[in-house]
Structures are given as C-alpha cells and as structure tokens.
Amino acid sequence: MSIKPITIAVHGGAGPMSDRININKTGYEEALKQALEAGHTILKKGGRATEAVEASVRIMEDHPLFNSGHGSALNSNGEIEMDAAIMDGTDLCWGGVALVRRVKNPVSLAAQIMRNRKHGLISGSGAETLAVQSELQVVPESYFITAHQYGIFLEQQQKRSGIERIPDNHGTVGAVALDAMGNIAAATSTGGAEYAIPGRISDSCLIGAGCYADNATAALSCTGDGEYIISHVVAYTVAMYRKFTGCALQEACEYVVHKRLKDVKGDIGLISLDTNGNLGIVYNSERMHHAWITRDSKVHIRYK
Ligand code: ASP
C-alpha cells in the first residue's frame, strides 16, 4: 500500500528555442512521456526512487534528441565525453561518473558506484573499466554520435576559429522521484557542452551543483550553463534556501533562479521534489523540456 503520493518529474534540458525543437515537438513529448512512465511504473510496483530516476534517465540517454548517451555533444576534438550522477535522499549516498566515452548508460554506472559505497566520483578510463567489471553495456564511440551533433560540431569548428561565442543548445537530462516509502532521489546525465575543451567536466556529475537529494530538503536535477550552476551550487542552494526559510519548494526555486541569480548571463533550469510530493520547477531560458506525474497519476508534458 502506498503511504506516500508517488511522484516523478523528468527534464530534457534548458536552453534556447530552435526550429529543430519545434519540428521535433512530438518526438520530445513522446520521449519525455516514455521516460516518465518508465520511472512511474517502478514506483507503482513499490520500487525505490533511485531505481525510478535511473530508469527514466536511461530512456532519455538512449534517445537521440537529448544531449546525453546516444545524441551527446562532441567536444572540440570531435570526441564524446559524458558525465552523470545519482543521489539517494535516504542516506545521502551518491555516485558519479565524468568523461566517460563508451558506457552506453552513464547513469547506470553512477548508480553502480553509489551501490558500491566505496568511492563517489570516478572518471575516464577507471570508470570504463568499472563498467566492464560491473557487466554494464560498453559500446563503440560511434554509437553516441548523431548526424545532428556532428553537424553542430562541424559548424562550431568553422565559427570558433574566431572568438565568436555560439550559444549552447543544452539537452542534458534528469529525473527526481518520490517512492511509496517516502524517499526521494535525483539523477542527471549529460553529453556536456558543445565543442568544449577536452577534459571539461560539467555540473551534472557534481553533487550540490547539477544533482542533489536529501529527504530532509529536496531532490533536484539541474540543466543549463554548467559553469554558472557550479559557481552558484544551484541544487544545494535551492535546498538550503528552502530548509532555512521554510518556504514552499516552488518559491525556493523561483527565488534562487529569478532573484538571486537574475544577473547570471546563462541558462539555468531545474526540477525538484520533496518527500510530500511537492514539485518545484523553474527555468530562465526560452525552454526546458520537462514532464511530471502528480499524485492523481495525471501526466503533464512541456516541450518548452
Ligand atoms: N549543464 C550541462 C553542462 O554544462 C549542459 C546542459 O544542461 O544541457 O554540460
């Protein structure tokens, strides 16, 4: 029997609108719905919030429209480097991976690291060795590269020979969930910033920045310009503002993004959830693909 109102929300990245996004409106909506349902099915069966957010994020990692897993952005060498993190609000255990190039579902490797309880954040070849040892799927780098992302790489290669700044598209994915036991969890996964310097690590795998969960405050997953999200430790700041003011979660989200960070010249978006099933959703960008299922099982989907 469900003692808490199981709830789940997902996002597929905050950033500027584009013709491509409008053309693929149905594709985004269907993918968000699938991701939502994957996590919700687990919650309905009494599964854990950590399992639900992992399942939701995996669906989006496998989907070419998002900048995570298959569909990841390319760095300035034309290579894939993916980051992900997951956190359990029950005990503050977490796992993260940075700069992985061949792990099909980086969020599952992060979850494996969380379950191992030995280390937190593992990068590069060490992370990939662990993926093989854990019998997670490892695929050739070509699997991740879509025609769309390769096109962006070629375009940026030409333009960035100068100093022109090209706005990033952002399509990082994330999920937050509340299970029937009353526990919350968050997960975030990204292919990183387009045309980034090789070795650049995003906010998505950094606890407190792009991902955070604590039953005492909230579960949060962020998206947008990672450097700003790290500077302002966005996920943790929202959680702490909420904790110390006692305000509603939505109010905390809006205060941090629209007031405290109003002068930040970058995109910031986030989804969040507390143990009572209250959601907080905010973004300062033209769009943030996101969706959620409320306690009455109603599905809400916003592609922008
Ligand atoms: N936060 C991600 C990064 O900086 C990008 C995104 O959210 O789309 O790599």
Side-chain angles (χ1 to χ4, degrees):
M1 191 184 67
S2 171
I3 48 165
K4 280 282 182 179
I6 58 167
T7 311
I8 185 159
V10 299
H11 73 77
M17 275 306 286
S18 67
D19 290 345
R20 176 175 180 268
I21 291 174
N22 283 322
I23 289 165
N24 287 294
K25 175 179 185 288
T26 314
Y28 280 108
E29 289 176 342
E30 276 168 8
L32 290 167
K33 187 160 183 273
Q34 262 179 35
L36 206 53
E37 280 169 354
H40 197 240
T41 303
I42 289 174
L43 295 175
K44 276 195 295 195
K45 288 185 186 155
R48 293 170 53 86
T50 46
E51 294 166 336
V53 292
E54 180 188 348
S56 290
V57 167
R58 280 178 68 101
I59 297 281
M60 293 184 283
E61 285 179 337
D62 291 345
H63 200 290
L65 281 177
F66 302 106
N67 173 12
S68 67
H70 177 54
S72 284
L74 300 174
N75 68 19
S76 61
N77 280 347
E79 299 156 340
I80 294 291
E81 287 178 323
M82 301 170 290
D83 303 336
I86 186 167
M87 186 164 185
D88 187 344
T90 319
D91 51 10
L92 306 191
C93 268
W94 60 278
V97 292
L99 306 175
V100 293
R101 294 169 68 162
R102 295 182 311 123
V103 180
K104 182 169 176 280
N105 292 105
V107 71
S108 292
L109 182 54
Q112 182 63 37
I113 292 166
M114 177 177 71
R115 287 189 289 266
N116 288 352
R117 289 170 182 264
K118 185 169 164 63
H119 299 303
L121 180 60
I122 303 185
S123 71
S125 59
E128 296 201 356
T129 302
L130 184 62
V132 173
Q133 286 166 352
S134 308
E135 295 180 4
L136 294 175
Q137 209 175 339
V138 171
V139 292
E141 223 175 318
S142 57
Y143 159 79
F144 300 100
I145 303 175
T146 58
H148 170 68
Q149 289 290 2
Y150 190 63
I152 292 180
F153 165 73
L154 292 178
E155 197 188 323
Q156 299 202 340
Q157 200 173 35
Q158 280 179 355
K159 291 189 180 158
R160 290 199 185 182
S161 46
I163 51 163
E164 187 184 348
R165 161 129 175 86
I166 298 167
D168 290 317
N169 286 311
H170 305 304
T172 289
V173 305
V176 291
L178 164 65
D179 64 31
M181 283 78 75
N183 297 315
I184 50 178
T188 311
S189 179
T190 190
E194 291 147 6
Y195 212 70
I197 293 175
R200 180 252 185 197
I201 294 174
S202 75
D203 60 295
S204 307
C205 61
L206 300 181
I207 293 304
C211 185
Y212 187 69
D214 178 359
N215 279 1
T217 54
L220 308 96
S221 173
C222 300
T223 168
D225 287 296
E227 281 66 18
Y228 294 118
I229 295 171
I230 297 168
S231 303
H232 297 281
V233 204
V234 170
Y236 191 70
T237 300
V238 171
M240 288 304 113
Y241 183 80
R242 203 273 167 105
K243 178 173 176 168
F244 292 121
T245 63
C247 70
L249 187 54
Q250 181 63 31
E251 197 182 326
C253 293
E254 285 173 17
Y255 170 78
V256 171
V257 173
H258 292 316
K259 293 206 174 119
R260 192 180 157 89
L261 305 184
K262 73 175 179 344
D263 296 327
V264 166
K265 303 267 178 291
D267 296 324
I268 298 180
L270 67 95
I271 55 171
S272 61
L273 178 64
D274 68 15
T275 54
N276 290 318
N278 299 307
L279 285 159
I281 297 173
V282 70
Y283 49 106
N284 65 2
S285 49
E286 287 175 354
R287 56 89 191 152
M288 180 173 77
H289 310 303
H290 62 287
W292 69 98
I293 295 185
T294 42
R295 57 191 76 189
D296 54 4
S297 292
K298 224 171 143 192
V299 176
H300 304 259
I301 300 174
R302 306 278 183 271
Y303 88 105
K304 64 178 178 180

